[in-house]
Amino acid sequence: MFHKELKAFPKNFLWGASTSAYQVEGAYNEDGKGLSVQDTKDVIEGTPDFKVASDHYHHYKEDIALFAEMGFKAYRFSISWSRVIPDGDGEVNLKGIEFYNNLIDELIAHDIEPIVTMYHFDLPYALQLKGGWSNRETIDAFVRYSKVLFENFGDRVRYWLTINEENMMILHGAAIGIGDSQNDNIQKDLYQQNHHMLLAQAKAMQICHTICMNAKIGPAPNITSIYPKTSKPEDVLAAQTFSAIRNWLYLDVAVYGKYNDIAWSYMVEKGIEPNMEDGDFRILREAKPDFIAFNYYCTGTVAESKIGETDLKTGGDQQISVGEYGVYKGTQNENLQKTEFGWEIDPIGFRITLREIYDRYHLPLIVTENGLGAYDKLEEDGTINDDYRIDYLKKHIEQARLAITDGVDLLGYCPWSAIDLISTHQGFKKRYGFIYVNRDEFDLKDLNRIRKKSFYWYKDVIASNGEKI
Ligand code: BGP
């Protein structure tokens, strides 16, 4: 659909960028922080551990000054659960509270709105030892943790995100480095974990509305439209099924408090539906998000998978779907180019996804991740000329504006990532930031912060409220 005239980005649009605690902070065992599952996992060969990351813990003032120089209106970051409660459900670590108080105050002093993710892939290791999300008691631990956050930071934080990419933790836990299930029936256990997370999220949303009267809260899954490989009805059906399993299962529960019917029948068919307790549906139904935050990198394309087929590859990650026998088969989209790390690039798919989510739920949306992972090069003259990143972001911002013109209520855009940090499974070399951090995979160098070309470009985008891209 073409528009003769485009709507402007809203006046108070939340331009910013994102990070997550374990990928940026470092200081993995400082000032009383407990270990998380990210600190204890076996890292993939050739990639670094998360002990130092971008050392944001010690550089946060300098980093926020740079965010302010870019003109950020918002900064989306996550709180490390095990920094605040080292063993997940015991003593509160005052030093951890102090760090996030300082961080939030520093943002506010620079007129930057904090958007806080409560949990981003880094479950406290002590909870993992007790069964992690397979253990229903982890719901209570999360509820208690959420109260600690609301009570300590709720006077200043107005935007809360519950759980980052719960759907990717269930579908691609191995790539993200989430503890493997010891259970014989892994898929059944995963959907049980999922149910517990959905309950934990629902309870946290309710508590947030009781404790922080002026705050808004929402889920933060990775959502993307799913294309059928061809117009063959079988492929369209497979795309619908995959979208239900990947996307709508998570948002239908968060928004409507009910399981998506197609996703539910998929689970029943496989005998992997979660066990429920009395009252679970009431908890899910009573919680209401104020907005939907979502991460978008590229669309997915699938074909039908016939029962008995054996050509599905194993692996996959957040944006590369492999498939499931008899359900769907991930395929490449020949119309799209790819990043150096193999993720397809689909700016129009961004508009399609924005429209699709808004059409289903009619809640305001915030984009909490979008971006290009690339091998950036620090030139001899000290510059980083990341024109490819500018090109990627520019095309996505154009599509966001078109989606707004289509009628989508979009509150903000926070691409990944504010500053270079460690990728979930592909090391430091896969950079996303506007700010270069001078370190390699294993040589920490001086960790200096250097403005990339995209830094100056994004500054102009924000200053012109998206007019000058
Ligand atoms: C999302 C995660 C982020 C981030 C991003 C890029 O799925 O929420 O934590 O890392 O993807 O992915 P990667 O680091 O694998 O390149």
Side-chain angles (χ1 to χ4, degrees):
M1 180 162 83
F2 292 93
H3 297 286
K4 283 193 212 77
E5 216 173 300
L6 295 183
K7 280 193 197 153
F9 283 94
K11 199 161 149 271
N12 297 317
F13 194 70
L14 294 168
W15 295 102
S18 292
T19 62
S20 89
Y22 83 95
Q23 293 173 278
V24 77
E25 282 179 6
Y28 82 108
N29 64 353
E30 276 182 52
D31 293 337
K33 179 181 170 293
L35 298 179
S36 83
V37 293
Q38 297 294 341
D39 300 315
T40 54
K41 74 179 183 188
D42 292 330
V43 292
I44 292 165
E45 216 187 315
T47 67
D49 59 34
F50 295 81
K51 290 185 170 136
V52 179
S54 310
D55 203 27
H56 179 65
Y57 189 77
H58 297 113
H59 290 252
Y60 75 91
K61 284 197 179 186
E62 180 188 349
D63 293 344
I64 292 172
L66 286 164
F67 302 162
E69 189 184 322
M70 261 188 283
F72 278 17
K73 309 287 181 213
Y75 171 50
R76 180 245 179 172
F77 62 96
S78 79
I79 289 183
S80 154
W81 185 343
S82 63
R83 196 181 288 291
V84 169
I85 307 179
D87 69 1
D89 62 355
E91 290 276 297
V92 172
N93 174 29
L94 295 181
K95 280 280 187 190
I97 300 283
E98 185 185 321
F99 171 68
Y100 293 110
N101 264 331
N102 291 341
L103 182 74
I104 291 165
D105 289 345
E106 192 73 14
L107 289 169
I108 291 172
H110 285 88
D111 281 330
I112 299 175
E113 184 83 51
I115 301 181
V116 175
T117 317
M118 298 163 68
Y119 161 47
H120 190 127
F121 300 163
D122 54 354
L123 188 74
Y125 183 56
L127 291 181
Q128 187 62 40
L129 290 177
K130 292 190 220 163
W133 284 107
S134 306
N135 181 351
R136 204 174 154 107
E137 283 173 18
T138 301
I139 302 174
D140 303 329
F142 186 78
V143 165
R144 180 165 169 267
Y145 166 58
S146 70
K147 278 189 195 145
V148 170
L149 299 189
F150 299 143
E151 279 162 5
N152 281 281
F153 312 122
D155 56 334
R156 286 152 293 155
V157 173
R158 295 189 292 183
Y159 292 90
W160 295 93
L161 315 176
T162 52
I163 299 178
N164 180 71
E165 294 195 355
E166 182 175 328
N167 53 343
M168 293 302 112
M169 289 198 274
I170 299 305
L171 295 169
H172 292 293
I176 292 163
I178 310 298
D180 270 344
S181 169
Q182 298 300 309
N183 201 301
D184 286 346
N185 189 347
I186 289 179
Q187 264 198 319
K188 170 111 184 142
D189 185 47
L190 281 171
Y191 283 100
Q192 193 63 49
Q193 293 183 23
N194 188 43
H195 184 62
H196 293 159
M197 278 193 259
L198 292 169
L199 286 167
Q201 165 172 275
K203 289 188 172 196
M205 291 199 292
Q206 272 203 318
I207 297 166
C208 177
H209 289 137
T210 331
I211 301 185
C212 318
M213 302 309 275
N214 296 321
K216 294 182 191 310
I217 188 163
N222 177 316
I223 301 293
T224 188
S225 289
I226 304 298
Y227 303 148
K229 183 175 167 57
T230 69
S231 54
K232 220 168 66 172
E234 289 85 345
D235 287 349
V236 177
L237 209 57
Q240 266 189 353
T241 306
F242 181 45
S243 199
I245 299 169
R246 185 199 190 282
N247 298 315
W248 315 135
L249 186 167
Y250 300 86
L251 286 178
D252 282 6
V253 174
V255 179
Y256 302 133
K258 70 180 277 289
Y259 272 88
N260 176 280
D261 294 311
I262 299 171
W264 185 261
S265 68
Y266 153 84
M267 290 188 280
V268 170
E269 163 65 26
K270 302 195 85 171
I272 56 174
E273 75 277 22
N275 300 324
M276 309 273 176
E277 287 192 3
D278 285 350
D280 282 2
F281 278 119
R282 188 181 45 78
I283 296 167
L284 297 177
R285 253 195 331 266
E286 284 176 0
K288 297 276 173 251
D290 302 292
F291 58 80
I292 292 171
F294 75 104
N295 302 341
Y296 172 88
Y297 287 88
C298 61
T299 45
T301 303
V302 304
E304 76 166 320
S305 162
K306 297 197 182 98
I307 295 176
E309 267 180 342
T310 52
D311 63 339
L312 293 184
K313 293 191 201 78
T314 53
D317 64 17
Q318 302 100 300
Q319 300 311 142
I320 300 179
S321 1
V322 173
E324 205 174 326
Y325 294 123
V327 186
Y328 71 98
K329 181 159 63 178
T331 65
Q332 302 199 1
N333 187 329
E334 287 141 22
N335 304 297
L336 304 176
Q337 295 193 328
K338 287 186 184 163
T339 71
E340 290 172 314
F341 288 84
W343 286 7
E344 289 172 342
I345 302 176
D346 188 5
I348 296 176
F350 186 37
R351 179 180 177 190
I352 295 170
T353 303
L354 282 158
R355 288 160 60 139
E356 202 175 356
I357 303 174
Y358 191 65
D359 211 28
R360 283 183 70 96
Y361 303 105
H362 289 101
L363 282 174
L365 306 181
I366 306 181
V367 176
T368 39
E369 286 184 34
N370 171 233
L372 179 77
Y375 296 98
D376 290 345
K377 181 155 181 267
L378 177 60
E379 304 289 351
E380 302 246 309
D381 64 359
T383 58
I384 299 102
N385 298 301
D386 56 343
D387 295 278
Y388 36 87
R389 179 165 297 109
I390 295 173
D391 185 59
Y392 177 102
L393 294 170
K394 176 177 158 23
K395 287 181 173 150
H396 284 78
I397 293 172
E398 277 168 2
Q399 294 298 323
R401 187 164 177 189
L402 284 162
I404 290 172
T405 309
D406 291 333
V408 172
D409 183 4
L410 184 61
L411 301 179
Y413 177 71
C414 294
W416 189 261
S417 51
I419 183 166
D420 285 346
L421 39 67
I422 308 190
S423 140
T424 56
H425 60 292
Q426 288 169 305
F428 213 92
K429 60 185 175 300
K430 189 183 189 187
R431 293 172 186 266
Y432 284 89
F434 294 106
I435 300 163
Y436 186 89
V437 174
N438 192 33
R439 66 160 281 186
D440 285 344
E441 299 294 45
F442 302 104
D443 181 355
L444 295 177
K445 299 188 176 171
D446 54 15
L447 292 162
N448 265 350
R449 282 38 186 161
I450 306 166
R451 296 165 185 80
K452 299 184 193 176
K453 192 169 178 183
S454 57
F455 177 104
Y456 300 103
W457 168 83
Y458 197 40
K459 185 177 175 187
D460 283 350
V461 172
I462 298 176
S464 64
N465 197 29
E467 289 295 326
K468 192 176 158 203
I469 52 171

